[in-house]
Amino acid sequence: FLNGKSHYDLSYSITGDRAEVWWNTVFGVLALAAMLEVGCDGLMAQYCIVDDSEYRAQSHHEVDGYTINLNEGADSSANLNNQTTQPVSIPADANNVNLPLWYRIARGMVAHASLRVALYVLWHKCLHLSIETIADGE
């Protein structure tokens, strides 16, 4: 809310209108697009093939100062600096998840559309700008 209030004040100082509803629309569109992307990426990561063969091909890995020996097997405990602990799994992250091309294109289109909507509302509704007003010097 503090960030929003500073934007309302910016709009008021530039145009004389706080445009609270329109600033909330801008923030809402961007937040919705970000949540949709993160949520869908998580769902898609569960159903896409993870290629970690290069990672597992090496026998030892350094993670946060601990040496992880992957040759011990998935069911045995990992050896971290010669201490027996709980099994260590390699988390799937965005770098090794093969997302389908159609999904990456759709994700890009949603990001592009949300940015265009947010910029349109920001430009025309929050700041009350148009090409004509800029060209006229108003």
Side-chain angles (χ1 to χ4, degrees):
F1 289 113
L2 184 60
N3 187 23
K5 185 173 177 358
S6 65
H7 285 84
Y8 305 152
D9 293 339
L10 171 72
S11 182
Y12 183 74
S13 66
I14 292 174
T15 65
D17 178 18
R18 290 178 56 89
E20 293 180 18
V21 171
W22 297 112
W23 278 108
N24 289 338
T25 303
V26 169
F27 297 138
V29 166
L30 295 176
L32 182 65
M35 288 188 299
L36 183 66
E37 180 177 347
V38 169
C40 289
D41 282 356
L43 287 175
M44 290 298 291
Q46 291 177 359
Y47 298 107
C48 294
I49 298 170
V50 176
D51 183 18
D52 60 355
S53 57
E54 291 178 17
Y55 190 82
R56 289 194 180 274
Q58 303 170 0
S59 62
H60 291 82
H61 299 279
E62 188 76 21
V63 178
D64 294 333
Y66 296 102
T67 302
I68 300 175
N69 186 355
L70 297 176
N71 288 336
E72 294 180 291
D75 293 333
S76 66
S77 60
N79 187 357
L80 303 177
N81 289 342
N82 297 324
Q83 297 176 2
T84 304
T85 61
Q86 296 297 321
V88 176
S89 63
I90 301 170
D93 60 10
N95 294 330
N96 62 359
V97 174
N98 297 322
L99 296 174
L101 180 62
W102 65 266
Y103 175 73
R104 289 183 287 163
I105 290 171
R107 185 175 64 176
M109 291 171 60
V110 168
H112 180 77
S114 65
L115 285 174
R116 286 194 60 141
V117 167
L119 286 174
Y120 177 84
V121 171
L122 172 70
W123 186 262
H124 293 286
K125 302 297 183 180
C126 296
L127 301 177
H128 302 289
L129 296 175
S130 67
I131 298 298
E132 293 81 23
T133 59
I134 291 175
D136 293 340
E138 294 178 15

